[in-house]
Amino acid sequence: MSFFEELKRRNVFRAGAAYLITAWLIAQIAGLAADSFFAPDWVMKMIITVLMLGFPIALVMAWAYEMTPEGLRRDSQGEDDRAQARGTSRLNQTIIIALSAALVYFAFDKFAMDPRRDAAMLDSVEAVRPSIAVLPFVNMSEETGNEYFADGLSEELLNVLVKIPDLRVAARTSSFSFRGKDLTIAEIARALNVTHVLEGSVRKSGNKVRITAQLIKADDGFHLWSENYDRTLDDIFVIQDEIAGQVSRALRVTLLEDTQAARAVDPESYELYLRGLHFLRERGPENMPIARDLLLEALEHDPENAMAWDVLSQAYVEMVGFGLMPRATGLPLVRQAMDNAKHLAPEDATILAHEGFFKKNLYWDWEGAQADLNRAHQIEPNNEIILGWLASLSGSLGKLDEAVLLYEQIMEIDPLNLSAHSALGLTYTKVGRYDDAMEVFKKQLQLAPNYHWAHSNTGKAWLFKGDPERALLEIQKNPDNQFKDVALSMVYYSLRQEAAAQAQLDELISEFGEAGFAGFIASVFAWRGEKDDAFRWLEISYQNREASIAYLLGDKAFYSLLDDPRWVDLLKKTGLHEYWLAMPPEYGGPPSRQTSTSRLSVPPGSYNRPVRHHSMERRHAGLYPEAAQHRH
């Protein structure tokens, strides 16, 4: 008998296979247990060493001994063949059991543990991913009016940093909200969920600037980097790039090349641009002409200032919205300013995003808006403003689950953004997540107890959930405004307080009927089941090109209209019909025959009242509802 045949006869190969399978299984289970109990590294090293040393011992034992029904005994050449066969059969069973256990563990590890490990790894990567908040730089100039310059520089720095793919940057809305508050860096960082804070000061005198910037590690207050810059305004972009470069090196992230630093800076144009931006952010009809004039003056000094053209386009939109110029006059000016901005900076994410936003709200060009916003997001995936407009577009197109995810992402970047709270809560309401919506509105009210429509939105969530009594209690807490009037008109009707409901609707139409608020009035009539009047006011909203048209899909107030042919006609005119067809019925998509007649059981009615004139502030909500919904 050859040596190989003797190894087979003594089951050495079978014993070796059984040992390897069992050892692998023991090592896997031991590794899982060691991770769970946070065992030191030497524990696993010892286990693996013992298992490796055991392998040759197992082979020797298999050679010297054999498994029999009576147990292990020394091998004998004269062993009874039937007893030896029974021993071999038992060894085969051992191998099969070990293989089965290994397969079960492998399946468990592959389909149960792998997804958890991947999620944990992503969480770990996110946890160690550097993040930063840029606080508004302190104005140290002798002229207190130069605060616009310090704010502008801070925002420009934030815009440079947000281009870094591996760096999470807290949004301007949240970081600037800490201006003048007596909080430590650690407290601010915890509120914004960031690991680092960039702060500094600006002293400006004529064309000369002294900028101090310092990067602080939030958990221990350690200054990772600090620098002073004594320059002229001609070098302002160079200074911004130098600061961003220092920050990226300190945080060990890669800074993308900033193309705007390559062009020369006209100091007067840059300063006028920052002043115009300041007045644009101040909002209000009294500030828009000032912003426009400053920006036009900036462009006289430097016609190639792309950002000045971009901000000018926003000023024109605001002026049309506030009724300071006719739509027919203002929109061509918006188009011209935006075209100039895009020509000068075709790949600037902010400009692309504004173009997409205008296409969405002003022109109802849904495909064009999607293309521009997608491209902007591709360039700057961490920009919360772009994410917000993408989310808004997704909501307008009935992609409500997608909108929820985007708004939730914005809340992580910009946790103190009041308008983001409104948008997320309203989208939760559209998808039937009423409790989640009310929780978001509750947090919003903690940040701003008198926010202009938080209580009304909470009340409408209660109303849609089926509790008009709770809804009324909540809505009555809202400050007096058109949003409260809309919500009260609906809730009084649901409570069968017909006289109060009618009086509230009369007041709403009288006060806001011509104030670009036709879409909201239509929603009240639709909630009452009075379809003719609902469609009449929707037609007024359509003719006035109100931006509220962009928020029709998914609004539960309009569910009574979904099986009416006039609803389809309206959506076709606005270009929303194909998107509505893709929506599920439970989100307000095309109703099935079984459910189309049971959405609301209220009698149809009609109502006609004269309307009066309105203020510029009220008109503004119709053309540009983000001025009400997304103000910071």
Side-chain angles (χ1 to χ4, degrees):
M1 180 180 297
S2 68
F3 179 68
F4 181 78
E5 291 174 341
E6 183 65 15
L7 289 174
K8 288 179 60 179
R9 187 188 71 79
R10 294 172 181 256
N11 290 319
V12 173
F13 295 120
R14 287 187 176 86
Y19 183 90
L20 288 175
I21 296 171
T22 305
W24 178 84
L25 188 60
I26 291 172
Q28 296 301 313
I29 296 173
L32 185 62
D35 289 341
S36 300
F37 291 99
F38 303 102
D41 292 342
W42 64 263
V43 173
M44 275 305 300
K45 291 179 181 178
M46 183 183 69
I47 292 173
I48 293 174
T49 300
V50 170
L51 291 174
M52 292 175 62
L53 293 175
F55 182 63
I57 296 174
L59 296 181
V60 171
M61 293 292 291
W63 174 269
Y65 295 88
E66 60 185 348
M67 183 179 294
T68 70
E70 291 77 22
L72 287 175
R73 68 180 186 182
R74 290 188 62 83
D75 180 77
S76 173
Q77 184 68 34
E79 171 65 35
D80 179 64
D81 289 342
R82 285 178 298 177
Q84 184 179 7
R86 288 196 298 271
T88 300
S89 176
R90 179 168 294 185
L91 191 57
N92 288 339
Q93 291 175 1
T94 302
I95 294 174
I96 292 172
I97 292 172
L99 275 174
S100 299
L103 287 172
V104 169
Y105 177 85
F106 178 79
F108 173 75
D109 183 71
K110 178 69 174 177
F111 299 108
M113 298 303 296
D114 261 4
R116 296 181 186 179
R117 278 196 295 267
D118 291 344
M121 184 177 297
L122 288 174
D123 290 343
S124 176
V125 170
E126 184 65 25
V128 300
R129 180 187 179 193
S131 53
I132 190 171
V134 180
L135 299 184
F137 278 31
V138 178
N139 175 36
M140 302 293 289
S141 305
E142 294 181 1
E143 298 180 21
T144 57
N146 280 342
E147 187 169 292
Y148 74 89
F149 187 87
D151 284 355
L153 177 64
S154 307
E155 186 171 353
E156 293 280 297
L157 275 171
L158 189 151
N159 291 336
V160 174
L161 292 171
V162 82
K163 300 176 188 296
I164 303 176
D166 296 328
L167 181 63
R168 185 172 65 82
V169 183
R172 176 193 183 277
T173 314
S174 291
S175 58
F176 275 47
S177 68
F178 291 98
R179 184 203 307 275
K181 294 184 178 179
D182 187 19
L183 295 173
T184 66
I185 292 295
E187 290 171 329
I188 294 173
R190 278 195 298 271
L192 298 178
N193 191 28
V194 296
T195 57
H196 299 82
V197 170
L198 180 68
E199 65 173 4
S201 63
V202 179
R203 183 184 298 275
K204 178 179 177 294
S205 179
N207 192 38
K208 296 181 179 180
V209 292
R210 178 180 177 85
I211 299 172
T212 299
Q214 52 192 10
L215 180 65
I216 303 170
K217 194 167 180 285
D219 56 359
D220 57 12
F222 182 73
H223 285 59
L224 296 181
W225 162 80
S226 180
E227 188 66 71
N228 294 323
Y229 299 88
D230 289 296
R231 306 285 180 84
T232 64
L233 285 180
D234 305 72
D235 296 326
I236 193 67
F237 288 160
V238 176
I239 299 172
Q240 293 172 13
D241 283 350
E242 287 183 10
I243 294 174
Q246 292 283 9
V247 169
S248 66
R249 283 188 286 274
L251 300 181
R252 299 181 181 180
V253 290
T254 302
L255 176 65
L256 298 181
E257 181 181 355
D258 187 11
T259 55
Q260 89 172 325
R263 63 179 296 266
V265 180
D266 183 285
E268 291 188 56
S269 176
Y270 182 74
E271 187 169 354
L272 288 164
Y273 154 71
L274 290 184
R275 289 177 61 195
L277 179 62
H278 167 76
F279 280 101
L280 180 75
R281 293 205 180 281
E282 288 294 303
R283 302 286 187 179
E286 70 281 359
N287 290 316
M288 293 307 105
I290 301 174
R292 175 202 58 191
D293 293 344
L294 287 168
L295 292 163
L296 286 172
E297 188 177 353
L299 289 165
E300 287 180 7
H301 288 277
D302 183 6
E304 296 188 355
N305 188 335
M307 294 311 300
W309 283 112
D310 177 54
V311 177
L312 178 62
S313 71
Q314 299 174 60
Y316 283 138
V317 168
E318 296 282 351
M319 292 181 70
V320 173
F322 281 121
L324 300 174
M325 65 170 61
R327 182 186 179 95
T329 302
L331 292 193
L333 295 175
V334 173
R335 180 74 276 153
Q336 180 184 12
M338 181 53 63
D339 286 345
N340 289 338
K342 287 180 64 180
H343 174 73
L344 293 168
E347 288 296 292
D348 185 276
T350 301
I351 294 173
L352 283 168
H354 284 142
E355 169 80 347
F357 184 69
F358 294 158
K359 285 180 179 178
K360 168 185 174 289
N361 270 29
L362 301 180
Y363 307 108
W364 303 338
D365 177 6
W366 315 111
E367 291 184 4
Q370 189 78 71
D372 286 337
L373 289 171
N374 284 345
R375 179 57 185 150
H377 181 248
Q378 183 182 14
I379 296 171
E380 291 186 16
N382 298 327
N383 190 316
E384 108 285 351
I385 296 177
I386 297 172
L387 286 173
W389 290 342
L390 269 176
S392 178
L393 178 62
S394 296
S396 295
L397 302 184
K399 304 173 184 178
L400 300 181
D401 290 328
E402 180 179 301
V404 165
L405 292 176
L406 287 169
Y407 280 129
E408 288 175 339
Q409 186 176 349
I410 294 164
M411 292 291 287
E412 294 179 4
I413 302 173
D414 201 359
L416 304 183
N417 187 332
L418 296 175
S419 63
H421 283 78
S422 291
L424 177 58
L426 290 170
T427 311
Y428 277 151
T429 301
K430 285 187 174 183
V431 300
R433 293 173 58 177
Y434 304 115
D435 292 337
D436 290 336
M438 286 184 274
E439 184 62 28
V440 170
F441 296 139
K442 179 181 177 181
K443 293 178 181 178
Q444 185 182 45
L445 285 165
Q446 290 171 351
L447 294 171
N450 294 317
Y451 195 68
H452 60 273
W453 64 346
H455 285 295
S456 291
N457 286 340
T458 306
K460 289 175 77 172
W462 278 114
L463 179 63
F464 295 145
K465 191 178 180 180
D467 193 339
E469 289 83 6
R470 291 287 296 273
L472 179 59
L473 292 174
E474 193 65 40
I475 295 168
Q476 287 173 335
K477 301 175 186 176
N478 204 82
D480 291 334
N481 55 37
Q482 60 268 49
F483 304 111
K484 181 178 183 179
D485 292 342
V486 169
L488 282 176
S489 299
M490 296 170 65
V491 76
Y492 281 144
Y493 182 82
S494 295
L495 289 170
R496 301 187 183 279
Q497 298 181 23
E498 296 182 5
Q502 192 65 50
Q504 196 70 54
L505 183 54
D506 289 349
E507 182 179 344
L508 178 66
I509 294 175
S510 176
E511 193 74 13
F512 302 105
E514 286 186 352
F517 220 65
F520 291 91
I521 295 172
S523 70
V524 178
F525 280 114
W527 183 251
R528 293 159 60 109
E530 299 171 11
K531 297 184 179 182
D532 291 342
D533 288 299
F535 281 112
R536 181 166 63 86
W537 282 98
L538 281 173
E539 181 62 25
I540 294 172
S541 179
Y542 170 77
Q543 293 296 334
N544 291 340
R545 305 290 295 185
E546 290 182 4
S548 58
I549 291 290
Y551 301 93
L552 287 177
L553 298 186
D555 189 336
K556 296 184 183 298
F558 292 105
Y559 273 22
S560 67
L561 309 183
L562 300 184
D563 57 358
D564 193 300
R566 289 172 290 183
W567 178 257
V568 173
D569 293 340
L570 175 67
L571 296 186
K572 286 182 177 179
K573 288 194 299 184
T574 59
L576 289 170
H577 183 247
E578 62 178 286
Y579 301 104
W580 177 65
L581 292 177
M583 294 176 65
E586 61 269 24
Y587 286 179
S592 63
R593 292 184 178 180
Q594 291 77 14
T595 62
S596 62
T597 59
S598 61
R599 291 182 180 271
L600 275 180
S601 55
V602 293
S606 62
Y607 186 72
N608 294 280
R609 300 287 291 182
V611 296
R612 295 199 301 265
H613 289 290
H614 50 84
S615 69
M616 290 185 293
E617 290 86 350
R618 290 165 184 162
R619 183 192 295 126
H620 189 266
L623 175 70
Y624 201 51
E626 269 72 2
Q629 180 180 346
H630 293 291
R631 286 191 181 182
H632 301 330

